[in-house]
Amino acid sequence: MKKPLFMSNLAIISLLVAPSAIAKSESKPSYRPSPLSVSVSRIMTGTASVGDEGNELQREQWMFDAKGSLALNRQWSIGAGVGYDNLDYDWRSPSPKATLKDGTKTWDKIERYRASLSISYRPNKNWMFILAPKLQYAYADTASSSNAQSYGAVFSGMYRFDSGNMLGFGAAYLNDIDEVRTVPFIAVNWQLTEKLSLGNPFSAGFSGPAGLELSYQLSPDWNMGIGTSKRTNRFLIADDELTAEIEEWVAFTRVGWDISQSVSLSAYGGYFFNGELELNPQHCKEAIDNQGAAALDVTVRF
C-alpha cells in the first residue's frame, strides 16, 4: 500500500479572477496583480477502499494552469485562463479486472481540459461584480471527448468595507455532463488581526464552492493556513453518456513560501472524507473510505 498523501483538487482550478484573489489585492494597495501567471500542481492521495467488492483506489494528478488579465479602465477588466489536468487511477481488485457494483469496468486515466473568461466591473470604490463563463471537457480513457463537454458561468458580487475587508456572495450555474447544477458560495477576504485572515482557498466552479481557509502570516515570506471545502468531479467513462462522479469533503493544512515576488511555493497536507462514487444514469453509488493526501503547487507570475 502506498503512503497516504494529498490535496484537494481543486484549489488550484478554474475561475480566472477569483474573488479571493481580488480581495487580497484590495487589502494590499501597494500590490499590483501580475497580468500573467502559470502554475503546476502535483496531487497524490492515499489508497482507499471503494464499495463492498474489495476494490481499492489510489489517485495521482498533475494540473497545469495559465491565466492572464487586462484592465480596460478603472471600472472594467477582462481575463482568460486555460488548464489541463491528467489524473491516474490505480485500481486494485481481487479479480483480474476491477469492476464496480453494477458490473461497470473501471478506468485508468482521466484527462480534463478547461477554459474560462472573466469580466469584472467596479461601479464605485465599494462594489465589484464578476461574470465568468467556463468550458470543460473531462473524460476517461474508456471514452472519447465527443460527449464530455460541460459549460456554465459563475457570477459574484463583493462589497469592500472602509476597513478594506471584503464580503460577497455568488452562484455557479453549471451544465455538467448530463446534469445541471447550481452551486451557491460565499466570497470573503477578512483581516481578523494584523496576521490572521479568513478567505477562499479555491475558485467556485465545476469542482464545487470556494471553501474557507483561515491563514496566518508567519513572516513577510512565509504563511500557513487550515481550511475545508466540498469537492465534486464528474467525467465521462463511456461514449453512451455513462458518467462517474466523485463527491467528497476535504480538510487541509497549507504552508506557503514566497520565494520571490514572481515565484511562490505551497505544500498541502490533508484528508478526504465522506467520499462517494456515483455512476449515472444508473444512480449506482459506492462509498469511498477516508484517505490522506498531499500536494505541491508552484506558481510563477510575469
Side-chain angles (χ1 to χ4, degrees), residues 161-206:
F161 296 88
D162 292 339
S163 62
N165 293 323
M166 297 187 74
L167 180 65
F169 301 90
Y173 169 81
L174 306 169
N175 195 323
D176 214 338
I177 307 173
D178 202 32
E179 181 186 57
V180 176
R181 292 181 286 135
T182 300
V183 180
F185 62 92
I186 296 176
V188 59
N189 191 80
W190 206 272
Q191 198 71 34
L192 302 173
T193 68
E194 184 179 352
K195 294 186 176 183
L196 190 66
S197 62
L198 180 68
N200 302 124
F202 308 141
S203 300
F206 291 103

Short mmCIF file of all heavy atoms in Angstrom, two decimals, residues 161-206:
data_model
loop_
_atom_site.label_atom_id
_atom_site.label_comp_id
_atom_site.label_asym_id
_atom_site.label_seq_id
_atom_site.Cartn_x
_atom_site.Cartn_y
_atom_site.Cartn_z
N PHE A 161 -15.53 47.04 2.44
CA PHE A 161 -15.79 47.97 3.54
C PHE A 161 -14.64 48.97 3.66
O PHE A 161 -13.57 48.79 3.08
CB PHE A 161 -15.95 47.18 4.84
CG PHE A 161 -17.15 46.26 4.84
CD1 PHE A 161 -17.05 44.96 4.37
CD2 PHE A 161 -18.38 46.71 5.31
CE1 PHE A 161 -18.14 44.11 4.36
CE2 PHE A 161 -19.49 45.87 5.31
CZ PHE A 161 -19.37 44.58 4.83
N ASP A 162 -14.87 50.03 4.43
CA ASP A 162 -13.84 51.05 4.60
C ASP A 162 -12.58 50.47 5.24
O ASP A 162 -11.48 51.00 5.05
CB ASP A 162 -14.38 52.20 5.46
CG ASP A 162 -15.47 52.98 4.75
OD1 ASP A 162 -15.52 52.91 3.50
OD2 ASP A 162 -16.26 53.66 5.43
N SER A 163 -12.73 49.40 6.00
CA SER A 163 -11.58 48.74 6.63
C SER A 163 -10.71 47.99 5.63
O SER A 163 -9.60 47.57 5.95
CB SER A 163 -12.07 47.77 7.70
OG SER A 163 -12.86 46.75 7.12
N GLY A 164 -11.23 47.79 4.41
CA GLY A 164 -10.51 47.01 3.40
C GLY A 164 -11.00 45.58 3.32
O GLY A 164 -10.68 44.86 2.37
N ASN A 165 -11.77 45.12 4.32
CA ASN A 165 -12.31 43.77 4.28
C ASN A 165 -13.38 43.66 3.20
O ASN A 165 -14.09 44.63 2.90
CB ASN A 165 -12.91 43.41 5.64
CG ASN A 165 -11.85 43.30 6.72
OD1 ASN A 165 -10.75 42.81 6.45
ND2 ASN A 165 -12.17 43.74 7.92
N MET A 166 -13.49 42.46 2.62
CA MET A 166 -14.45 42.24 1.55
C MET A 166 -15.32 41.03 1.84
O MET A 166 -14.86 40.01 2.38
CB MET A 166 -13.72 42.03 0.22
CG MET A 166 -12.92 43.25 -0.22
SD MET A 166 -12.23 43.05 -1.88
CE MET A 166 -13.70 43.27 -2.88
N LEU A 167 -16.61 41.15 1.48
CA LEU A 167 -17.56 40.07 1.68
C LEU A 167 -18.53 40.07 0.51
O LEU A 167 -18.99 41.13 0.07
CB LEU A 167 -18.33 40.26 2.99
CG LEU A 167 -19.37 39.18 3.35
CD1 LEU A 167 -18.68 37.83 3.57
CD2 LEU A 167 -20.16 39.60 4.59
N GLY A 168 -18.86 38.89 0.00
CA GLY A 168 -19.77 38.81 -1.12
C GLY A 168 -20.40 37.44 -1.25
O GLY A 168 -20.09 36.51 -0.50
N PHE A 169 -21.29 37.34 -2.22
CA PHE A 169 -21.99 36.10 -2.48
C PHE A 169 -21.98 35.85 -3.98
O PHE A 169 -21.83 36.77 -4.79
CB PHE A 169 -23.43 36.17 -1.97
CG PHE A 169 -23.54 36.44 -0.51
CD1 PHE A 169 -23.62 37.74 -0.03
CD2 PHE A 169 -23.54 35.41 0.40
CE1 PHE A 169 -23.71 38.01 1.32
CE2 PHE A 169 -23.63 35.65 1.76
CZ PHE A 169 -23.72 36.96 2.23
N GLY A 170 -22.16 34.60 -4.35
CA GLY A 170 -22.19 34.27 -5.76
C GLY A 170 -22.86 32.94 -6.00
O GLY A 170 -23.24 32.22 -5.06
N ALA A 171 -23.00 32.60 -7.26
CA ALA A 171 -23.58 31.32 -7.65
C ALA A 171 -22.96 30.89 -8.96
O ALA A 171 -22.65 31.70 -9.82
CB ALA A 171 -25.09 31.42 -7.79
N ALA A 172 -22.77 29.58 -9.08
CA ALA A 172 -22.26 28.99 -10.32
C ALA A 172 -23.38 28.18 -10.96
O ALA A 172 -23.94 27.28 -10.32
CB ALA A 172 -21.05 28.11 -10.04
N TYR A 173 -23.72 28.52 -12.20
CA TYR A 173 -24.66 27.70 -12.98
C TYR A 173 -23.83 26.80 -13.87
O TYR A 173 -23.06 27.27 -14.71
CB TYR A 173 -25.58 28.58 -13.82
CG TYR A 173 -26.39 27.78 -14.83
CD1 TYR A 173 -27.55 27.11 -14.44
CD2 TYR A 173 -25.97 27.69 -16.16
CE1 TYR A 173 -28.28 26.37 -15.35
CE2 TYR A 173 -26.70 26.95 -17.08
CZ TYR A 173 -27.85 26.29 -16.67
OH TYR A 173 -28.56 25.54 -17.57
N LEU A 174 -23.96 25.47 -13.70
CA LEU A 174 -23.08 24.52 -14.35
C LEU A 174 -23.90 23.48 -15.10
O LEU A 174 -24.63 22.70 -14.48
CB LEU A 174 -22.18 23.84 -13.31
CG LEU A 174 -21.38 24.79 -12.41
CD1 LEU A 174 -20.75 24.04 -11.26
CD2 LEU A 174 -20.33 25.53 -13.23
N ASN A 175 -23.80 23.48 -16.41
CA ASN A 175 -24.41 22.44 -17.23
C ASN A 175 -23.34 21.37 -17.43
O ASN A 175 -22.64 21.34 -18.43
CB ASN A 175 -24.87 23.02 -18.57
CG ASN A 175 -25.82 22.09 -19.29
OD1 ASN A 175 -25.66 20.88 -19.26
ND2 ASN A 175 -26.80 22.67 -19.95
N ASP A 176 -23.21 20.52 -16.41
CA ASP A 176 -22.18 19.48 -16.41
C ASP A 176 -22.62 18.34 -17.31
O ASP A 176 -23.73 18.34 -17.85
CB ASP A 176 -21.94 19.00 -14.98
CG ASP A 176 -20.49 18.61 -14.74
OD1 ASP A 176 -19.79 18.33 -15.72
OD2 ASP A 176 -20.07 18.58 -13.57
N ILE A 177 -21.77 17.34 -17.47
CA ILE A 177 -22.09 16.22 -18.36
C ILE A 177 -23.38 15.54 -17.88
O ILE A 177 -23.42 14.95 -16.81
CB ILE A 177 -20.94 15.19 -18.38
CG1 ILE A 177 -19.61 15.87 -18.72
CG2 ILE A 177 -21.24 14.09 -19.40
CD1 ILE A 177 -18.42 14.95 -18.59
N ASP A 178 -24.44 15.69 -18.66
CA ASP A 178 -25.71 15.04 -18.38
C ASP A 178 -26.33 15.47 -17.04
O ASP A 178 -27.12 14.74 -16.45
CB ASP A 178 -25.54 13.51 -18.41
CG ASP A 178 -26.85 12.78 -18.65
OD1 ASP A 178 -27.71 13.35 -19.34
OD2 ASP A 178 -27.03 11.67 -18.12
N GLU A 179 -25.96 16.64 -16.52
CA GLU A 179 -26.55 17.11 -15.27
C GLU A 179 -26.38 18.63 -15.17
O GLU A 179 -25.33 19.17 -15.52
CB GLU A 179 -25.90 16.46 -14.05
CG GLU A 179 -26.51 16.91 -12.74
CD GLU A 179 -25.77 16.37 -11.52
OE1 GLU A 179 -24.56 16.62 -11.40
OE2 GLU A 179 -26.41 15.69 -10.71
N VAL A 180 -27.42 19.31 -14.68
CA VAL A 180 -27.37 20.74 -14.46
C VAL A 180 -27.36 21.00 -12.96
O VAL A 180 -28.17 20.45 -12.21
CB VAL A 180 -28.59 21.45 -15.10
CG1 VAL A 180 -28.56 22.94 -14.79
CG2 VAL A 180 -28.59 21.23 -16.62
N ARG A 181 -26.41 21.85 -12.52
CA ARG A 181 -26.28 22.15 -11.09
C ARG A 181 -26.16 23.65 -10.89
O ARG A 181 -25.63 24.36 -11.74
CB ARG A 181 -25.03 21.48 -10.50
CG ARG A 181 -25.08 19.98 -10.43
CD ARG A 181 -23.81 19.42 -9.82
NE ARG A 181 -22.67 19.50 -10.73
CZ ARG A 181 -21.46 19.92 -10.38
NH1 ARG A 181 -21.23 20.35 -9.16
NH2 ARG A 181 -20.49 19.93 -11.27
N THR A 182 -26.62 24.11 -9.74
CA THR A 182 -26.39 25.49 -9.30
C THR A 182 -25.70 25.44 -7.95
O THR A 182 -26.21 24.82 -7.01
CB THR A 182 -27.71 26.27 -9.19
OG1 THR A 182 -28.35 26.28 -10.47
CG2 THR A 182 -27.44 27.70 -8.76
N VAL A 183 -24.54 26.07 -7.86
CA VAL A 183 -23.72 25.99 -6.65
C VAL A 183 -23.58 27.38 -6.05
O VAL A 183 -22.89 28.24 -6.61
CB VAL A 183 -22.32 25.41 -6.97
CG1 VAL A 183 -21.49 25.33 -5.70
CG2 VAL A 183 -22.45 24.05 -7.63
N PRO A 184 -24.22 27.67 -4.92
CA PRO A 184 -24.02 28.97 -4.25
C PRO A 184 -22.72 28.95 -3.45
O PRO A 184 -22.22 27.90 -3.05
CB PRO A 184 -25.24 29.07 -3.33
CG PRO A 184 -25.58 27.65 -3.02
CD PRO A 184 -25.21 26.83 -4.22
N PHE A 185 -22.14 30.13 -3.22
CA PHE A 185 -20.92 30.20 -2.42
C PHE A 185 -20.80 31.58 -1.79
O PHE A 185 -21.43 32.55 -2.22
CB PHE A 185 -19.68 29.88 -3.26
CG PHE A 185 -19.42 30.84 -4.39
CD1 PHE A 185 -18.60 31.95 -4.21
CD2 PHE A 185 -20.00 30.65 -5.64
CE1 PHE A 185 -18.35 32.84 -5.24
CE2 PHE A 185 -19.76 31.53 -6.68
CZ PHE A 185 -18.93 32.63 -6.49
N ILE A 186 -19.95 31.65 -0.77
CA ILE A 186 -19.61 32.91 -0.10
C ILE A 186 -18.20 33.30 -0.50
O ILE A 186 -17.28 32.48 -0.46
CB ILE A 186 -19.71 32.76 1.43
CG1 ILE A 186 -21.15 32.46 1.84
CG2 ILE A 186 -19.22 34.03 2.12
CD1 ILE A 186 -21.31 32.21 3.33
N ALA A 187 -18.01 34.54 -0.91
CA ALA A 187 -16.69 35.08 -1.24
C ALA A 187 -16.28 36.02 -0.11
O ALA A 187 -17.02 36.95 0.22
CB ALA A 187 -16.72 35.82 -2.57
N VAL A 188 -15.13 35.78 0.49
CA VAL A 188 -14.73 36.57 1.65
C VAL A 188 -13.22 36.76 1.68
O VAL A 188 -12.46 35.87 1.29
CB VAL A 188 -15.21 35.88 2.97
CG1 VAL A 188 -14.62 34.48 3.10
CG2 VAL A 188 -14.86 36.72 4.18
N ASN A 189 -12.80 37.93 2.09
CA ASN A 189 -11.41 38.19 2.48
C ASN A 189 -11.45 39.15 3.66
O ASN A 189 -11.66 40.35 3.48
CB ASN A 189 -10.60 38.76 1.33
CG ASN A 189 -9.12 38.77 1.67
OD1 ASN A 189 -8.44 37.76 1.57
ND2 ASN A 189 -8.63 39.91 2.12
N TRP A 190 -11.28 38.60 4.86
CA TRP A 190 -11.50 39.36 6.07
C TRP A 190 -10.24 39.30 6.94
O TRP A 190 -9.81 38.23 7.35
CB TRP A 190 -12.68 38.80 6.85
CG TRP A 190 -13.34 39.82 7.72
CD1 TRP A 190 -13.01 40.13 9.01
CD2 TRP A 190 -14.43 40.69 7.37
NE1 TRP A 190 -13.82 41.12 9.49
CE2 TRP A 190 -14.71 41.48 8.50
CE3 TRP A 190 -15.19 40.85 6.21
CZ2 TRP A 190 -15.73 42.43 8.51
CZ3 TRP A 190 -16.19 41.78 6.22
CH2 TRP A 190 -16.46 42.57 7.35
N GLN A 191 -9.66 40.46 7.19
CA GLN A 191 -8.47 40.56 8.04
C GLN A 191 -8.92 40.59 9.49
O GLN A 191 -9.41 41.60 9.98
CB GLN A 191 -7.67 41.80 7.69
CG GLN A 191 -6.24 41.78 8.18
CD GLN A 191 -5.38 40.78 7.42
OE1 GLN A 191 -5.57 40.57 6.23
NE2 GLN A 191 -4.43 40.15 8.11
N LEU A 192 -8.77 39.45 10.18
CA LEU A 192 -9.23 39.35 11.56
C LEU A 192 -8.30 40.07 12.53
O LEU A 192 -8.75 40.76 13.45
CB LEU A 192 -9.35 37.87 11.96
CG LEU A 192 -10.30 37.03 11.08
CD1 LEU A 192 -10.21 35.57 11.46
CD2 LEU A 192 -11.73 37.53 11.20
N THR A 193 -7.00 39.89 12.32
CA THR A 193 -5.97 40.61 13.08
C THR A 193 -4.90 41.03 12.10
O THR A 193 -5.03 40.85 10.89
CB THR A 193 -5.36 39.73 14.19
OG1 THR A 193 -4.60 38.67 13.58
CG2 THR A 193 -6.44 39.12 15.09
N GLU A 194 -3.80 41.57 12.61
CA GLU A 194 -2.71 42.01 11.73
C GLU A 194 -2.16 40.85 10.90
O GLU A 194 -1.75 41.04 9.75
CB GLU A 194 -1.60 42.64 12.56
CG GLU A 194 -0.47 43.21 11.72
CD GLU A 194 0.62 43.86 12.57
OE1 GLU A 194 0.42 43.99 13.81
OE2 GLU A 194 1.66 44.22 12.00
N LYS A 195 -2.17 39.64 11.46
CA LYS A 195 -1.57 38.49 10.77
C LYS A 195 -2.56 37.39 10.43
O LYS A 195 -2.23 36.48 9.65
CB LYS A 195 -0.45 37.89 11.63
CG LYS A 195 0.75 38.82 11.81
CD LYS A 195 1.88 38.12 12.53
CE LYS A 195 3.11 39.02 12.62
NZ LYS A 195 4.25 38.33 13.27
N LEU A 196 -3.76 37.44 10.97
CA LEU A 196 -4.74 36.37 10.79
C LEU A 196 -5.87 36.83 9.88
O LEU A 196 -6.42 37.92 10.06
CB LEU A 196 -5.31 35.96 12.15
CG LEU A 196 -6.17 34.70 12.21
CD1 LEU A 196 -5.33 33.46 11.89
CD2 LEU A 196 -6.82 34.56 13.59
N SER A 197 -6.20 36.01 8.87
CA SER A 197 -7.25 36.39 7.92
C SER A 197 -8.08 35.17 7.52
O SER A 197 -7.63 34.02 7.63
CB SER A 197 -6.65 37.04 6.67
OG SER A 197 -5.81 36.14 5.99
N LEU A 198 -9.29 35.45 7.03
CA LEU A 198 -10.20 34.42 6.56
C LEU A 198 -10.49 34.68 5.10
O LEU A 198 -10.83 35.80 4.70
CB LEU A 198 -11.50 34.45 7.37
CG LEU A 198 -12.57 33.41 7.00
CD1 LEU A 198 -12.10 32.01 7.37
CD2 LEU A 198 -13.89 33.74 7.72
N GLY A 199 -10.37 33.63 4.25
CA GLY A 199 -10.58 33.81 2.82
C GLY A 199 -10.99 32.53 2.14
O GLY A 199 -11.21 31.50 2.79
N ASN A 200 -11.08 32.58 0.81
CA ASN A 200 -11.44 31.43 -0.01
C ASN A 200 -10.19 30.79 -0.59
O ASN A 200 -9.42 31.45 -1.28
CB ASN A 200 -12.36 31.84 -1.16
CG ASN A 200 -13.63 32.51 -0.69
OD1 ASN A 200 -13.94 33.62 -1.08
ND2 ASN A 200 -14.38 31.83 0.15
N PRO A 201 -9.96 29.50 -0.34
CA PRO A 201 -8.77 28.86 -0.90
C PRO A 201 -8.92 28.45 -2.35
O PRO A 201 -7.93 28.32 -3.06
CB PRO A 201 -8.61 27.62 -0.01
CG PRO A 201 -10.00 27.29 0.42
CD PRO A 201 -10.71 28.61 0.56
N PHE A 202 -10.15 28.21 -2.80
CA PHE A 202 -10.38 27.70 -4.14
C PHE A 202 -11.28 28.65 -4.92
O PHE A 202 -11.86 29.57 -4.38
CB PHE A 202 -11.05 26.32 -4.09
CG PHE A 202 -10.33 25.33 -3.22
CD1 PHE A 202 -11.04 24.44 -2.43
CD2 PHE A 202 -8.96 25.29 -3.17
CE1 PHE A 202 -10.38 23.54 -1.62
CE2 PHE A 202 -8.29 24.39 -2.37
CZ PHE A 202 -9.01 23.50 -1.59
N SER A 203 -11.43 28.35 -6.19
CA SER A 203 -12.36 29.06 -7.05
C SER A 203 -13.64 28.26 -7.19
O SER A 203 -13.60 27.04 -7.30
CB SER A 203 -11.76 29.28 -8.43
OG SER A 203 -10.58 30.04 -8.36
N ALA A 204 -14.78 28.95 -7.20
CA ALA A 204 -16.04 28.25 -7.40
C ALA A 204 -16.15 27.82 -8.86
O ALA A 204 -15.80 28.55 -9.77
CB ALA A 204 -17.20 29.16 -7.04
N GLY A 205 -16.65 26.60 -9.07
CA GLY A 205 -16.78 26.11 -10.43
C GLY A 205 -17.23 24.67 -10.45
O GLY A 205 -17.93 24.21 -9.56
N PHE A 206 -16.80 23.92 -11.48
CA PHE A 206 -17.25 22.55 -11.65
C PHE A 206 -16.87 21.66 -10.47
O PHE A 206 -17.57 20.69 -10.17
CB PHE A 206 -16.67 21.95 -12.94
CG PHE A 206 -17.23 22.57 -14.19
CD1 PHE A 206 -16.50 23.50 -14.91
CD2 PHE A 206 -18.50 22.23 -14.63
CE1 PHE A 206 -17.02 24.08 -16.05
CE2 PHE A 206 -19.02 22.81 -15.77
CZ PHE A 206 -18.28 23.73 -16.49
#
